[in-house]
Amino acid sequence: MALPRRRPRDPDEFPTIQLFILAIVRLAEPIALTSIFPYAWPLIKRFEIGDENDASFYAGLLVSSFALAEALMGMYWGGLSDRVGRKPVLLLGCVGTMFSMIMVGFATNIWVALLGRAIGGLLNGNIGVIQTMVGELVTRPEHEPRAYSIMPFVWSIGTIIGPFIGGTFADPHDTFPNVFPKGSLFETYPYLLPNLICAGLLLVSILLGYFLLEETHPDMQPRVMLPDDTFQSENTPLIGTSDALKRPAVDLRDDNYGSMRGRGSSGGKAWAKETEKRPTGSVFSKRIMAVIISLSIFTYHSMTFDHLLPIFFEDDRAPQDSFHDAVSHLGPFYSPGGLGLSLQAVGMVMAVQGAIALFMQAAVFPIMAERLGVYRLFIFITVFHPIAYIIVPYLLQVPESLLYPAIYVILAVRNFFSILLYPLLLIFIKEATPSPTILGKVNGLAASAGAAFRMIAPPIAGYLYTMGRKMDCTALAWYGSAVVAVIGSVQCFWVIRDKNHERLSREDGIRSTAAEEASLLACPP
């Protein structure tokens, strides 16, 4: 019986279907990880640990325990994916996160909850593995801005859906007493339902990934690509002849595999000659470390913004009459308290911020990448990034009638910088990796570094805000983030690109348009 050969994916085409499946697998994770944010504080209060005033500290510890464990194991999972493949490690990360959600849902004390969160982080190396898979799926430079913008876009969607699930379905006995009556399982475990919902979404992503997602590791691709008009039958020899090896599916001796240049792209031969001269190199090379340091600095000050924003919005607002008089005498450093917004108003503002982030990712990023080029856009955004933190305290001086428009302008400025910068750093990590055989380990190292800085950013920013509040200068925390961003604006010039690659990228150009990007990200293929 003759069986048709499975048609391989054309490496010169944009991998729409595979990136869409990878995005679905990715979407469940940020939903699961951020769903705990709304109920972390009441969950800790329910455990009755220490003084009630310390609940915010233990809530922060509960949230950051995942990032701590992830930082410890990120490089290990990246290296393992280089040996056993990307797909098994990715699916194991989803299974670990699903188990973590169920364990937290059934937790009756803080130690079980902490252990559940830590187990999820220890088993999860998906950030680095997914970045590696995107790099191996995309072989043409003109496809990279679109491809590398998808995963941050998906993460943004997940961070909107996750808190919604956590806030809506936590303690369902009080919220939906007719559906979840007294004495039910969900009264005993009031935070189980949102965790079960997130675990169900993770299960769907595991099944989709197992059946539909392709392995992208170069060593695990089909050995031989037969011509399109050939078939396999009972007469096909089991041992391939020399003719069958004339055109292997993947030439691992070619450093062009998984690099910025793909087969069939213009200038490919010239690029291949240059990459042949590259040694396999070390994970800790100067070029790689420069990009990872830049990523770590960005992760730190970006996380401080996310942590400080709701605190600053909800903190009590100083009386406007006395405030303006004091500002005229003490200057702009006088910034007592916050904006005094209600919890519902903060939720609305955060939802609008998510919409702004999606717009920046889908429409603004491809246009800016096309106009300025990847490297110049990176330098521009990093150099001017401190502005996003310096302008926030000036919201205290805005009249009540103009407060919300001013907030949205500031959020637009911040998202312009942060949303555009992350995919650029992912592109540079791929470029800096000298060999596809260590790409997983490099992305694992980057994921570990990012997780470590996400872990330390909230307590440092919170401490600065507390100190500033005592001095009537809550701007101290924002200026502290701006200082770190200034360090990043200097360090970004250490990030270099291959000159020949820059020349080839300019010759090819970036063909994706805003309309193509929006249609790709908004609609399934």
Side-chain angles (χ1 to χ4, degrees), residues 247-498:
R247 190 178 179 184
V250 175
D251 186 0
L252 296 180
R253 299 168 298 176
D254 184 8
D255 285 342
N256 186 37
Y257 182 86
S259 69
M260 302 296 291
R261 303 299 303 175
R263 289 175 294 174
S265 57
S266 60
K269 293 182 179 180
W271 178 256
K273 290 180 180 179
E274 290 295 325
T275 54
E276 285 175 1
K277 300 177 183 178
R278 290 186 187 176
T280 54
S282 168
V283 174
F284 299 98
S285 67
K286 290 183 178 179
R287 187 177 177 189
I288 292 174
M289 293 308 298
V291 182
I292 291 179
I293 291 173
S294 186
L295 174 66
S296 300
I297 294 173
F298 163 69
T299 301
Y300 174 87
H301 61 71
S302 179
M303 188 66 184
T304 61
F305 190 100
D306 294 334
H307 179 67
L308 291 172
L309 194 66
I311 298 175
F312 179 68
F313 281 171
E314 296 175 25
D315 199 0
D316 294 335
R317 188 181 182 103
Q320 290 300 290
D321 295 337
S322 60
F323 172 78
H324 289 295
D325 292 339
V327 168
S328 61
H329 291 89
L330 301 177
F333 285 96
Y334 178 72
S335 51
L339 299 181
L341 302 183
S342 66
L343 184 61
Q344 293 76 15
V346 172
M348 181 189 67
V349 170
M350 300 299 287
V352 174
Q353 178 183 224
I356 294 173
L358 295 182
F359 174 77
M360 293 292 177
Q361 194 70 60
V364 177
F365 175 75
I367 295 175
M368 296 296 294
E370 180 183 359
R371 297 288 177 83
L372 296 180
V374 171
Y375 186 71
R376 282 185 292 178
L377 180 59
F378 166 70
I379 296 296
F380 172 79
I381 290 176
T382 309
V383 168
F384 289 99
H385 211 134
I387 296 175
Y389 304 99
I390 295 173
I391 61 178
V392 176
Y394 288 94
L395 286 172
L396 293 172
Q397 303 181 32
V398 175
E400 290 281 352
S401 59
L402 299 176
L403 181 59
Y404 282 96
I407 288 175
Y408 295 137
V409 169
I410 285 179
L411 292 179
V413 172
R414 187 266 172 158
N415 281 280
F416 172 81
F417 288 117
S418 64
I419 296 299
L420 269 62
L421 182 54
Y422 186 62
L424 297 175
L425 289 167
L426 300 186
I427 293 174
F428 292 155
I429 289 174
K430 177 185 172 183
E431 287 184 7
T433 304
S435 170
T437 59
I438 64 170
L439 184 58
K441 188 175 293 185
V442 171
N443 279 316
L445 176 62
S448 293
F453 278 82
R454 283 198 306 273
M455 178 189 64
I456 65 174
I460 295 177
Y463 175 77
L464 290 176
Y465 191 89
T466 301
M467 295 298 295
R469 202 175 191 281
K470 294 177 180 178
M471 301 183 296
D472 285 337
C473 183
T474 54
L476 177 65
W478 297 106
Y479 295 154
S481 299
V483 169
V484 178
V486 169
I487 295 173
S489 68
V490 175
Q491 189 274 337
C492 71
F493 293 98
W494 296 358
V495 178
I496 59 174
R497 300 185 78 196
D498 187 282

Side-chain angles (χ1 to χ4, degrees), residues 81-202:
S81 74
D82 287 333
R83 298 193 298 273
V84 304
R86 320 299 184 198
K87 186 173 174 178
V89 176
L90 177 65
L91 296 180
L92 178 62
C94 293
V95 171
T97 304
M98 182 174 68
F99 179 76
S100 170
M101 301 297 298
I102 296 174
M103 194 169 178
V104 172
F106 280 104
T108 56
N109 58 70
I110 189 174
W111 304 113
V112 175
L114 282 173
L115 180 62
R117 292 283 292 179
I119 289 175
L122 289 173
L123 295 178
N124 193 305
N126 287 3
I127 294 178
V129 173
I130 287 176
Q131 292 172 10
T132 303
M133 295 182 75
V134 174
E136 290 171 337
L137 284 169
V138 179
T139 58
R140 293 182 66 90
E142 57 267 33
H143 293 161
E144 286 180 341
R146 283 197 295 166
Y148 278 102
S149 66
I150 291 176
M151 296 309 152
F153 183 88
V154 170
W155 181 272
S156 299
I157 295 177
T159 56
I160 296 173
I161 300 175
F164 172 78
I165 292 176
T168 303
F169 297 102
D171 203 357
H173 169 66
D174 288 342
T175 309
F176 311 104
N178 295 329
V179 181
F180 303 98
K182 185 176 179 61
S184 65
L185 178 67
F186 295 104
E187 184 191 17
T188 307
Y189 303 100
Y191 305 106
L192 175 61
L193 183 58
N195 284 282
L196 288 180
I197 293 174
C198 293
L201 294 175
L202 283 163

Side-chain angles (χ1 to χ4, degrees), residues 24-25 28 91 98 197-211:
I24 296 298
V25 176
L91 296 180
M98 182 174 68
I197 293 174
C198 293
L201 294 175
L202 283 163
L203 180 60
V204 172
S205 70
I206 291 169
L207 295 175
L208 287 175
Y210 181 81
F211 289 107

